[in-house]
Structures are given as structure tokens and as C-alpha cells.
Amino acid sequence: MKYLMTTISAAVILSACGGGTAMTPSDMLIADMQASVSEDRILFGQQDAYMYGHTWRASGMESRFRTDVADVCGSHPAVLGLDLGGIELGHSDNLDGNPFDYMRLAALEHYERGGIITFSWHPRNPLTGGDSWDVSSDKVVSSILEGGDRHETFMEWLARCADYLETFRDADGNAVPMIFRPWHEHTGSWFWWGQDLCSTEEYLALWKMTYAYLVAERNLDNLVWAYSPGAGVDKAGYMERYPGDEIIDMLGLDCYQYGEAPASNAVYASQLKESLAFMTELGREHGKLIALTETGLEGLPYPEWWTEVLYPAIQDYPIAYVLVWRNACDRPEHFYAPWPGQESAEDFCRFVSNDRIVLLD
Ligand code: BMA
């Protein structure tokens, strides 16, 4: 995207002239996204896009620039979502079987081509040894905070996370900016950091500890910090556990369509619009970007979903991007973008042919 190059050159000139404080890589990405929003654009993204698709899995260099989205409409998503789950234990593959080395390779090439990278994190449960969805104990967050039994272990986990993220460098050795989106969907209670599993104070302390370690101690100045509550809360509920303007750069939302389509279309659309409306206000009040950080209709059974449901629901709000979830290659019903021959493929091409919807050039 042209925005990226524009801002980077401006920042280089600025720092070369010794004018003011040099922009950090994260400042540059924020400025790029602000420029994109001010031109009324919405970037389109998908989770794990280059890793696999509905019927294939990337197996090496030659296939890494394949995506189902490009197979359908000729261009790749502009935003690439990836997940760190597993890095905390030093695994070589993430929780969905993607080699971390390969994720870096694809992400860096995506970035070189003008794309944006965003990382979520589904870490294991540091108290029980289960996964992110193990909500059998409501003591997990308290156990990893300072003074807790699992604090040291968790700090090692954060260190491994930082070790990996700091390897994201461009050809000149500069840190590559990326959106970092930990502790997401905390307004629900399906992850060990969720609403009923910790107090507001504990949740906020978890964010502060994560931020202080990665930014102050590890000097990762390339992270754009996103806050991603789940849908189904009002403006007050959305902000109840907000970590604060000093930490957060982007106000996100994870909002899926559940139930049979088309019957569930209207419920999804109205929930999404309601949320995006107060997020638009919050974005202005707090001077933050807003984005639809996860969405989708699993299996896309409604052929006109893209232009009749998704686009009408998002078109009035200044979101930087919309990201749909992954097209799993090992679960035939678990996909959120079309693949060639899928019944919403034609409508998807109509959706992305809208000038406001941006894919990778
Ligand atoms: C969920 C599902 C899981 C996956 C997890 C993390 O929504 O797609 O299969 O492991 O996200 O990517």
C-alpha cells in the first residue's frame, strides 16, 4: 500500500534532519492506518492466509504466496493475521500447526509487499497446563501476576514471545511494525483471562505487566497495541476493563455471526453496527484507531453475505480493517473466506471490487 512508503519516507526525512522525536515503527504503522482511514479505505484481512487454505497447506518457499482469497479474486488480503500460541513453550509450530519460522518468512514478505501484520496470542494455561480455553480455575491470572506462584514461569513465556517478535526485521535490520492483540475477547468467559475468571484489577495488571515487559524492558517499539473485546457488550461494558490510552493504540472488536443464515443476518448486522457506532465515538474521544479485528460467518452458507450483510454493516464506520478468521485445511466446515467454487466466491469478488475495500496491490 502506498501509505506505508509515504510515511516511512517522511519519518526517515524527519529523523535525518534531526527534527523532533523520531517516529517509532509503531508510530509509522499507526500513521499509515490513519492515512488509509482518512481516505475512507477499509483494508481486508484474513487469519493464517498464507499458511493454508480450504484444500491445501503451504509446504515451503514455492507455495507461501498462495491464499484462498487470491485464488478467488486475484489479490491477497492486505492484513495478515497470525497467532503466537505455542511460542511461550518454545514450540516450533503454533497451535494450528504453522511453523513459526515459516510464519516469519511469509509475514516479512507480506510486509515488504506493503501488507500489514497482526498477531493474536492463544497461550497455554500457565496454571493448569491446559490450553487458552481451559477455564477450570479462576486463579490463573492472579497466579501469574507479581507475587503469584506462576509469575516466574509466565515471565519466561513473555520472554519467549519477545524473543520471537524481535526477530521481525526488514532487509535493513529495522524492526517491522505489527499490530499486537493479546488478551482478546475478555468480555466473554471462554479464555482463562476472561470476564468471570479474573477481576478487573487483575486483568488490568496483566495488561500492564505485558506492556511493561515488552516495551520498557525489551524495547519493542514496533508494536501497535490493540484491545479486542468480544461483541455483546454496550459502550460501558466495552470500556470496563480498558487498559488505558497510554497502552492502547487501537480499539478492536471480535464479532461473529452465529446461527443459521439468512435468519441470523439481521441480528449480526445490528449487533455489529451498534458496536461500531460506539467504537467510532470512542475512537474520536480517545484519539484511537478502530478496527473489526475478527469477524465472519463460518462456512459462508449465504452466497451474498459479503455485499448484503458484511459491507452494509461496516460501511458507515471508520474502521482501519476487517479481518475474517481462518480457512482450516483439516476441518472442511471451518472457513471464513471463499475458495474457488465456494458459493459466496462471486459475491466476495464484488465486495473487494469496491474501491474502498483494499487488498494487497
Ligand atoms: C479458533 C479456531 C481454532 C483455533 C483458534 C486459534 O477460533 O479456529 O481451531 O485453534 O481459533 O487460531
Side-chain angles (χ1 to χ4, degrees):
M1 281 156 289
K2 60 182 191 283
Y3 311 104
L4 203 57
M5 299 323 297
T6 315
T7 326
I8 287 175
S9 343
V12 168
I13 293 163
L14 191 75
S15 53
C17 300
T21 319
M23 286 174 87
T24 63
S26 63
D27 292 337
M28 290 186 234
L29 177 53
I30 291 168
D32 291 335
M33 287 189 281
Q34 282 166 341
S36 168
V37 169
S38 72
E39 293 190 18
D40 249 1
R41 301 189 191 241
I42 300 175
L43 311 181
F44 180 79
Q46 189 182 18
Q47 188 72 5
D48 282 351
Y50 303 106
M51 301 294 115
Y52 46 75
H54 183 61
T55 56
W56 55 274
R57 189 180 262 282
S59 55
M61 300 288 285
E62 78 287 346
S63 56
R64 81 174 177 275
F65 258 88
R66 179 175 182 186
T67 60
D68 276 352
V69 164
D71 282 357
V72 164
C73 70
S75 302
H76 299 296
V79 179
L80 169 64
L82 293 169
D83 198 275
L84 289 166
I87 201 73
E88 66 280 1
L89 296 177
H91 290 171
S92 54
D93 295 355
N94 87 344
L95 78 168
D96 296 315
N98 307 322
F100 283 107
D101 285 344
Y102 180 63
M103 285 162 61
R104 184 197 301 106
L105 199 70
L108 291 181
E109 201 155 326
H110 178 71
Y111 170 74
E112 294 294 343
R113 293 184 183 197
I116 290 177
I117 305 162
T118 172
F119 268 104
S120 51
W121 189 17
H122 289 87
R124 304 287 300 179
N125 183 316
L127 183 61
T128 65
D131 59 22
S132 283
W133 293 265
D134 178 354
V135 291
S136 58
S137 165
D138 61 4
K139 302 281 179 286
V140 187
V141 175
S142 63
S143 79
I144 60 176
L145 296 175
E146 217 167 314
D149 285 357
R150 306 299 291 159
H151 178 65
E152 255 176 59
T153 300
F154 186 74
M155 294 315 284
E156 280 168 28
W157 287 17
L158 270 185
R160 291 195 185 108
C161 182
D163 292 345
Y164 180 64
L165 293 180
E166 73 186 5
T167 63
F168 282 66
R169 302 263 157 187
D170 68 15
D172 300 323
N174 301 311
V176 165
M178 59 182 75
I179 299 160
F180 183 50
R181 205 168 68 78
W183 317 131
H184 64 305
E185 299 176 17
H186 67 287
T187 45
S189 298
W190 47 84
F191 296 133
W192 55 255
W193 55 89
Q195 182 76 20
D196 296 341
L197 289 309
C198 60
S199 67
T200 297
E201 292 66 37
E202 288 164 350
Y203 182 75
L204 295 178
L206 174 62
W207 264 93
K208 282 207 178 93
M209 184 173 83
T210 307
Y211 184 84
Y213 178 74
L214 295 181
V215 177
E217 204 161 326
R218 298 296 298 264
N219 299 314
L220 289 170
D221 61 359
N222 56 328
L223 307 182
V224 170
W225 291 75
Y227 173 65
S228 282
V233 289
D234 62 10
K235 191 174 179 182
Y238 181 96
M239 291 304 274
E240 191 185 301
R241 297 187 172 190
Y242 179 59
D245 287 347
E246 323 71 51
I247 294 181
I248 299 301
D249 301 304
M250 170 182 275
L251 303 174
L253 178 75
D254 289 7
C255 177
Y256 285 88
Q257 180 169 341
Y258 295 106
E260 294 287 307
S264 57
N265 287 353
V267 177
Y268 165 76
S270 70
Q271 183 173 62
L272 189 49
K273 288 173 83 156
E274 236 168 76
S275 307
L276 294 176
F278 68 67
M279 287 167 63
T280 301
E281 293 170 6
L282 287 167
R284 295 201 177 113
E285 288 159 16
H286 292 257
K288 304 294 176 187
L289 288 158
I290 67 168
L292 184 49
T293 43
E294 283 186 37
T295 196
L297 168 64
E298 188 181 37
L300 291 163
Y302 185 67
E304 274 80 41
W305 188 75
W306 302 96
T307 60
E308 284 187 16
V309 184
L310 180 64
Y311 188 67
I314 61 176
Q315 66 178 340
D316 294 333
Y317 308 100
I319 54 174
Y321 70 89
V322 48
L323 180 140
V324 297
W325 205 241
R326 61 199 200 96
N327 280 12
C329 57
D330 50 359
R331 283 166 62 190
E333 80 298 344
H334 196 54
F335 63 85
Y336 294 85
W339 28 272
Q342 200 278 326
E343 57 183 326
S344 76
E346 221 175 285
D347 190 57
F348 180 77
C349 295
R350 265 197 301 278
F351 167 67
V352 299
S353 70
N354 182 325
D355 283 348
R356 294 186 58 201
I357 304 297
V358 178
L359 296 177
L360 206 60
D361 285 340

